Amino acid sequence: MTRAPLIGLTLDIEPGGPGAFSRFPYHALRQNYFSAITAAGGLPVGLPHEPALAAALMARLDGLVVTGGAFDPDPALYGETLHPMTTLKPGRTDAELAYLHAARTAHLPILGICGGMQLMAIAWGGALHQHLPDHAPGPIAHEQPNPRDEPGHGVSILPGTLLSQVTGRASMQVNSSHHQGVRDPGALRVSASAPDGVIEAIEAQDGIFALGVQWHPEFAIDPGDARLLAGFIDAARHATPQDRRA
């Protein structure tokens, strides 16, 4: 492929109301998700919450980014009841699961960011800690008190992993904005962890670029962030949908 790969980014949804951007429900996503994909060489487009369109959309795309947000997947997806701190957006989760399934079927590169990584774990048969303070009440604040464009803690990257390969790093400084975490990665492998043992990255082992990170590389806090996004875009360049249409 000689042109920029077309990358779909899942959008958030807000209910709207008086004083909001719209009185009616609207999609939203931080601008730096789009600018980071553009800087890495991709052509970003936002994806609405339309599960029925999943196969048709993935047929046009070269890669999928499942973004984060201030909500949680339904724990019923991994056989648990709702924790008091768990907040749902069912329509968004339904759409993102459909997009993940369609992207896997089409063998498209996938990057999961924060909540997107957690949903990848569920989609591959895993499970979450619904509230990390119940599991890891130690000194690391996974909902960091400092601004999100600053590092919150370090992560160690396992050698021989895709994450190690694309970032060229054995460790990174990352931001941290999550109260849930991956408990079981399912069929994915763990590729990075925090000093307290919380899983910070997971990835597929079948030769397809499917990688989830618990932090937000779009903020470019560590040199490895830009390399991670560049590696994802490079994988998308070798996907076939646009080549078939050329």
Side-chain angles (χ1 to χ4, degrees):
M1 180 189 300
T2 57
R3 49 188 164 171
L6 189 64
I7 306 299
L9 295 92
T10 60
L11 299 172
D12 199 7
I13 191 164
E14 296 294 340
F21 171 79
S22 172
R23 288 179 175 270
F24 304 96
Y26 61 93
H27 287 301
L29 192 65
R30 263 190 291 102
Q31 183 270 343
N32 64 348
Y33 276 108
F34 293 97
S35 60
I37 291 297
T38 301
L43 186 65
V45 294
L47 302 178
H49 298 170
E50 299 287 350
L53 300 180
L57 285 167
M58 295 308 125
R60 302 284 187 94
L61 296 176
D62 302 301
L64 172 67
V65 177
V66 183
T67 62
F71 76 103
D72 309 302
D74 189 340
L77 292 167
Y78 48 95
E80 293 187 5
T81 58
L82 200 68
H83 187 283
M85 297 299 291
T86 298
T87 303
L88 307 183
K89 284 189 175 178
R92 175 172 175 177
T93 296
D94 291 345
E96 289 182 329
L97 283 172
Y99 294 153
L100 280 169
H101 175 74
R104 292 175 67 185
T105 299
H107 304 295
L108 292 184
I110 298 168
L111 176 62
I113 294 177
C114 197
M117 165 184 145
Q118 295 169 10
L119 195 62
M120 284 179 65
I122 295 170
W124 266 262
L128 305 182
H129 294 292
Q130 285 194 61
H131 192 52
L132 278 175
D134 296 343
H135 165 70
I140 294 179
H142 288 280
E143 290 189 286
Q144 67 185 56
N146 52 313
R148 298 299 191 258
D149 60 352
E150 299 176 357
H153 60 78
V155 299
S156 298
I157 299 174
L158 276 67
T161 59
L162 173 62
L163 182 62
S164 172
Q165 174 187 332
V166 297
T167 63
R169 310 277 284 180
S171 63
M172 290 176 59
Q173 290 295 310
V174 303
N175 58 10
S176 194
S177 178
H178 60 107
H179 84 104
Q180 296 200 336
V182 172
R183 171 166 57 85
D184 174 7
L188 301 173
R189 71 177 294 190
V190 175
S191 49
S193 59
D196 60 0
V198 169
I199 294 171
E200 291 283 336
I202 54 178
E203 61 186 53
Q205 304 179 71
D206 58 4
I208 304 296
F209 190 113
L211 175 62
V213 296
Q214 188 60 76
W215 64 92
H216 286 269
E218 70 274 15
F219 281 101
I221 289 170
D222 188 282
D225 288 325
R227 296 172 189 164
L228 167 59
L229 293 171
F232 168 66
I233 295 300
D234 185 62
R237 285 194 183 97
H238 295 89
T240 58
Q242 288 196 11
D243 290 342
R244 286 200 299 265
R245 298 197 306 272

